[in-house]
Amino acid sequence: KDAYDPYLLAAYGQYPQAETGQRDPDAKMYGLPLLGDTWTMVWRKDLMGDEPPATWDEMIAAAKKCQDENPGMSGLAFHQANGSDAAAVTYNTVNGVYGGELWDAEERKIDGVLNDEAGQKAMDVLVNRMKPLAPKGSGNWFIDEVNAAISQGKVCIGFNWIAAIGGLLDPEQSQLGKTPEAIEKKLGFAALPAQDADVVPLGGMGMHVSKYAPAEDQAEALNFIKWFEQPEVQKMWAAAGGVPARTDALESPEFLEANPWNKVYAESVPRLRDMWNVPEYAKLIDIENTNVNAALNGAKDPEQALNDIAAEQQKVLDASGGGLD
């Protein structure tokens, strides 16, 4: 267990958790971390300079300046879709950097926490300061659309999952250069800037064995996990483009030197913030996606959208016994 960062081990392999993302000696182990992930900020360093913005406010200002100085380009590209966890992760990220909380895990309380002053400020920043810098028609963008906008030179800054950006340096997928080196001269990759708090979103996934599988299949699955989680295999996977969760693989030259964004992930691990580790996760995320997407697309007042999220999510937790069953 000590081979993994405690936050990654807790998030991907333990249940229940007394506190989200915190390793608990009394929690049951149901798997191991497989793929670690978070967002990286990708910016046009040929247009904006080599140094990334230091704060979220500075980032928004820099994106607007770049947009104003480069007609036809938009300042920001980010996930907004009402699907998977797209719009929800975007709001949760902004909520975190402006000092908000998603819930009080100990009290199992969302209403009054998510939509407090910090939460409302984050929603205002997202809808009224960031959305105007996004390309027209981007209200349902997710991973592929953000990558395409960056590669086609349509945006100054984009946010995306590190595990999903391998194609950004591929000349066959990019209009920014004919070689990876030429593209990298135009694109910078940095950890997300902080603001009132220093947090980044947790993505990725764990690796687990279904108890419904036949016993012999369970044994083979466990054998695969034992093989795959070996230090040398993890380093090989890292060198091939994977985002490992083992600490020794994360800190290895095989990983850190494989891609320019890998150091971003290694630097971001201590800043990770997860959502709610409860069985009601899917219901909670659907509520949030729908309402954040509506706010971003002008279908709902931002303040009302956040209040609706908090109230509806609270009902889900209360109906299930507070998310403990």
Side-chain angles (χ1 to χ4, degrees), residues 42-56:
V42 187
W43 84 99
R44 287 291 300 272
K45 62 184 180 182
D46 60 326
L47 302 178
M48 303 173 64
D50 291 337
E51 292 298 319
T55 69
W56 203 267

Side-chain angles (χ1 to χ4, degrees), residues 6-8 10-11 17 19-23 274-275 277:
Y7 201 100
L8 297 177
Q17 294 178 32
E19 184 178 345
T20 301
Q22 298 301 310
R23 193 165 142 190
D274 202 1
M275 300 187 202
N277 274 275

Side-chain angles (χ1 to χ4, degrees), residues 27 44 60 70 88 108 128 191 214 221 252 305:
R44 287 291 300 272
I60 294 173
N70 296 275
R108 295 300 193 262
N128 295 318
S252 69

Side-chain angles (χ1 to χ4, degrees), residues 40-103:
T40 183
M41 179 175 67
V42 187
W43 84 99
R44 287 291 300 272
K45 62 184 180 182
D46 60 326
L47 302 178
M48 303 173 64
D50 291 337
E51 292 298 319
T55 69
W56 203 267
D57 283 346
E58 289 179 16
M59 179 271 298
I60 294 173
K64 186 178 187 309
K65 183 174 184 289
C66 179
Q67 176 176 288
D68 292 343
E69 293 176 348
N70 296 275
M73 290 186 70
S74 297
L76 293 171
F78 53 89
H79 304 163
Q80 303 179 49
N82 180 15
S84 183
D85 57 4
V89 170
T90 297
Y91 171 73
N92 289 347
T93 301
V94 182
N95 170 283
V97 297
Y98 282 95
E101 296 289 346
L102 305 184
W103 67 329

